[in-house]
Amino acid sequence: MKLRTRLLLILAVILVVIVIDIPREDKVFSAIGLKDTSLKVRQGLDLQGGANLLYQTDLSKTSAEDKQKAVGGVINVIQKRVNPTGTSEVVVQTSGSDKVAISLPGIKDVNQAIALIGKTAQLSFYEVEQNGFPQATDISGKDLDTATTDIDQQSGKPIITFTMKSESVQKFASLTTKINQSGGRLLILLDDQPLFNGSVSSAITDGKGQMQGFKDIKDAQDTTVLLNAGALPVPINLVEQRTVGASLGSESIQKSIIAGAIGLLAVVFFMIAYYRLAGVVASVALVIYTLINLAIFKLSGLTPFPIVLTLAGIAGFILSIGMAVDANILIFERMKEEVRAGSSLQTGLEDGFKRAWTSIRDSNISTLITCFILYEFSFGNSIVKGFAVTLAIGVLVSMFTAITVSKTFMMLLLQTEWASDPKMYRFNSKSNKAKVAKA
Amino acid sequence: MNIVGRRKLWFIISLIVIIPGTISLILWGLKPGIDFTGGQEIEVSGNTNQSEVRAIVAKSEVADITVTTSGNNRLLIRYSNQGRGDSEAIHQAIKANLAAQNIQETAFSSVGPTVSRDITRNALLSVFIASLAIICYIAFAFRKTPPPLSSWSFGVTAIIAVLHDVLLVLGVFSLLGHFFGIQVDSLFVTAILTVIGFSVHDTIVVYDRIRENLRRYNKPFEELVNDSILETFARSINTSLTVIMVLLAFFLFGGESIKFFILALLIGIFSGTYSSIFNAAPLLVVYNNWKIKRSKKGGAKNLKPTKA
């Protein structure tokens, strides 16, 4: 039976969506290989606190064909610098053709992050001759394979041990041999700051070395990150910074939840007061709509394009609730007309849906056009982008719920005796032409 | 109810509502926030004596300082420091001075001059392209409309109604900017675009009914438009009511940072509902009458007459 299949499909969707929506402990989904942490709504910085940074890359000295590569390189290096372990929720991405946007959720010290991101991190090796004259060598940061922070067993001070790339081991060995024999010194500079300046007691043939002279362990760790991430391919400039404190963020969440709940309740109350039983159906559809939306927000975390929910995004979602209700209102008003003109509730329902469809389609497409333009011209602003995405998803989901969920539930209701009275929908107030349609 | 017949009244009401804001817009314009001008913005909590806070910030020799309240015990400090050296150092100095007075920074934004230029350009471009795209879409969606009107007239009149709504929101924010120092940011542009989308959304529902009735009935155009408005009246009001209810909840309980964004949406959606019913559809009649008058001179036929 057609109605039964529709109902089963909808119930299946609801079931899946609820399973996704339930907040769960960490282990539940790991059995089937889903990383649970990604199955939660990503919160924007205005909701959880943190910093958004926008950097302009300086491509004036880069040839046209290398520009894209240079920006990609900048992203790569910054990613390694701010997120060396790859575990935090830091997002580094292009914005426009030559800008790089970084979002650092929950960060405490923005200025330290800014300092770390902006470092040129150019590592250079010098041979200092006995007369004190430093001579550049052909070894640079590019020859470095890995660097790790350590504590020197004897002095208790932080040091960095490093390993040369295998193809550079020979180069390093011949340099140290030369310095050792001439009685000179080895000087290693990071962005013109000396990291090592001393004699070499013996030739280093295994490509391993040590640097010291750090202020504290934190300084050594930051330097390690810089060494491992490499140098920025082009200079960058901080052009925009937005920081929100964690307390302000959690206050925003709390307030939006309260406001959203009050707004939603008001709508449900109004719909039921005005459309009676049909209002109940619309409210149920609205709840399902909200659940589906939430599930999409969560699932998007598994894709390369996670939806980040911001305060404006919540507003977009709220606005789409209005549109979700609109589709229902359009249908019910049509149905009312048909019933008043003498149709039975069933035919009224069918015709109501058919007639309302062009309105729903055309009006929603115009909103989607606006969303698309907002997204494309989002002013490099992730908040505006988030608003456009949530509004667009809301509009699409609302079309689905209004057309399938509301209709199926209405059809189901009309199969029962008690729900087949136009009075239950306030549909019969003007004339008595509409007769009770028996199922 | 004869809505179309009293169209002059509705147009006059619209003009009366729009004129003060438009004058303000011409005289004073909008008060652009740091998104459009570049500069820095610090939100603080703690001591909220505006003049004290202002004095603290002024010690750092920055320009264009404004201090406005931002909800419960919060202040919004804006200043420009373009060309005054290291902006981060200035920010840190101000932050330290404020902290000495037990004022905590809760949020900080800094927008550079190139970024603000981009934002301004994109804002204007996006509003323009959105309007154009919507006219084209409506013209396309209504391409099979029976005579008397061309599908383009639907698109153009819909956009006139949209302009009404945009002008109203801009006007109100120009007044708010001049008298209360309320600035507009990129979120405001978002609100404007959303209002455009919503206003058209509303208008299309009315137009859709006109299109349908044109196919079904052979009535004078004016009467047909009026009937179409009345038939969609309950829907227009109910939809706007539900949206306004939710927005109102957000305006009252939803936190400070989006308060003016929500206010812009509220005004725009209220106006959008009004303009769809009282401006957009009656405008179609005005346009049709004008065409008949013109074609009578040229002797063209095939147009349905309307009631005087």
Side-chain angles (χ1 to χ4, degrees), chain A residues 367-385:
Chain A
T367 306
L368 288 175
I369 290 174
T370 321
C371 289
F372 176 75
I373 288 160
L374 267 177
Y375 187 87
E376 280 299 304
F377 294 89
S378 55
F379 328 118
N381 187 333
S382 54
I383 292 178
V384 176
K385 224 170 208 162

Side-chain angles (χ1 to χ4, degrees), chain A residues 54 56 99 111 114 239-245 247-248 251-252 255-256 258-260 262-264 266-267 270-271 274-275 311-312 314-315 318-319 321-323 325-326 329-330 333-334 337-338 355-356 358-359 361-367 369-370 373-374 377-381 383-384 387 391, chain B residues 35 43 72 74 88 91-92 95 106-112 114-115 118-119 122-123 125-126 129-130 133-134 137 141-142 186-187 189-190 193-194 196-198 200-201 204-205 208-209 211-212 216 231 234-235 238-239 241-243 245-247 249-250 253-258 261-262 265 269:
Chain A
L54 188 68
Q56 167 89 55
K99 293 194 188 69
N111 294 311
I114 290 173
V239 285
E240 190 188 308
Q241 178 191 350
R242 291 174 200 271
T243 315
V244 174
S247 63
L248 190 63
E251 189 190 306
S252 300
K255 283 187 167 169
S256 338
I258 293 171
I262 293 173
L264 212 67
V267 169
F270 171 80
M271 287 297 285
Y274 198 91
Y275 294 105
L311 217 48
I314 293 178
I318 293 304
L319 214 56
I321 287 183
M323 311 224 171
V325 181
D326 179 47
I329 291 177
L330 272 166
E333 286 294 331
R334 277 295 195 164
E337 274 176 49
E338 302 295 330
R355 290 258 163 79
T358 50
S359 287
R361 181 198 60 200
D362 288 347
S363 57
N364 280 329
I365 288 178
S366 73
T367 306
I369 290 174
T370 321
I373 288 160
L374 267 177
F377 294 89
S378 55
F379 328 118
N381 187 333
I383 292 178
V384 176
F387 174 82
L391 184 59
Chain B
D35 283 356
E43 190 179 62
N72 37 343
R74 291 229 169 77
E88 193 42 44
H91 168 222
Q92 288 306 322
K95 194 175 163 181
T106 49
F108 172 73
S109 310
S110 168
V111 181
T114 49
V115 175
D118 286 357
I119 291 176
N122 281 359
L125 204 63
S126 55
I129 292 177
I134 286 169
Y137 177 70
F142 284 75
S186 47
L187 215 49
V189 185
T190 311
L193 282 167
T194 312
I196 292 177
F198 204 91
V200 171
H201 183 114
I204 283 181
V205 174
D208 186 59
R209 186 56 81 100
R211 169 174 63 182
E212 186 186 324
R216 292 166 83 187
E231 281 163 18
R235 173 265 157 200
N238 287 355
T239 295
L241 263 180
T242 53
V243 176
M245 272 180 216
V246 186
L247 286 176
F250 263 76
F253 312 107
E256 287 304 317
S257 49
I258 52 168
F261 172 63
I262 300 286
L265 288 176
I269 282 164

Side-chain angles (χ1 to χ4, degrees), chain A residues 46 60 96 156 166 183 229 245 297 313 324 334 341 418:
Chain A
D46 53 348
S60 54
S166 51
F297 292 155
R334 277 295 195 164
W418 64 279

Side-chain angles (χ1 to χ4, degrees), chain A residues 212-224:
Chain A
Q212 63 250 51
F214 301 99
K215 272 189 299 207
D216 48 31
I217 184 87
K218 188 91 197 68
D219 184 26
Q221 277 165 348
D222 285 351
T223 309
T224 308

Side-chain angles (χ1 to χ4, degrees), chain A residues 115-134:
Chain A
L116 193 63
I117 290 167
K119 281 254 175 74
T120 328
Q122 210 61 258
L123 193 68
S124 42
F125 289 71
Y126 288 91
E127 177 191 352
V128 186
E129 291 167 353
Q130 267 188 322
N131 56 20
F133 187 73

